[in-house]
Amino acid sequence: SGAPRLAEAPTGASDADLVAQAHLVKLTSRPLPVTFAQLPGGNWVLDPCAAEEGLGASVSLCLVSGSWLIFHQGGGADANRFLSELMPVARTCVERLTIL
């Protein structure tokens, strides 16, 4: 039907064999993923290492257009505590997290 098709080029193909159609993309929001993990004793850590995540509950969020979206909640995280205590902390850390 004349519509552009995408095809995988073999390794080592020459530039003449490659075809690309340019598209301009404008991002209206920069998603910012954040993870909290609960350590023994009830303390939470922001941006934990894998070992810390394995110790207890964990929650991963993504800030998109000013709203926090929860995309993973594991290990029995207390949703009420998380919403009342940790989401405000996450919002105060946005500037520092963006630098990471």
Side-chain angles (χ1 to χ4, degrees):
S1 67
R5 293 178 42 131
L6 296 177
E8 186 174 344
T11 303
S14 70
D15 288 346
D17 293 332
L18 302 177
V19 177
Q21 189 173 12
H23 295 279
L24 297 177
V25 176
K26 180 180 178 185
L27 298 178
T28 59
S29 175
R30 180 179 177 200
L32 178 64
V34 178
T35 298
F36 287 91
Q38 189 172 25
L39 302 178
N43 294 316
W44 288 84
V45 63
L46 176 67
D47 192 25
C49 67
E52 291 169 329
E53 278 192 65
L55 293 175
S58 65
V59 180
S60 295
L61 311 170
C62 193
L63 181 64
V64 179
S65 297
S67 297
W68 288 106
L69 308 173
I70 298 175
F71 63 88
H72 173 77
Q73 184 174 345
D78 178 358
N80 290 328
R81 180 175 181 209
F82 182 76
L83 292 172
S84 66
E85 296 177 27
L86 299 177
M87 287 188 83
V89 169
R91 189 163 295 282
T92 64
C93 297
V94 168
E95 186 177 331
R96 286 174 281 171
L97 289 168
T98 303
I99 295 169
L100 295 176

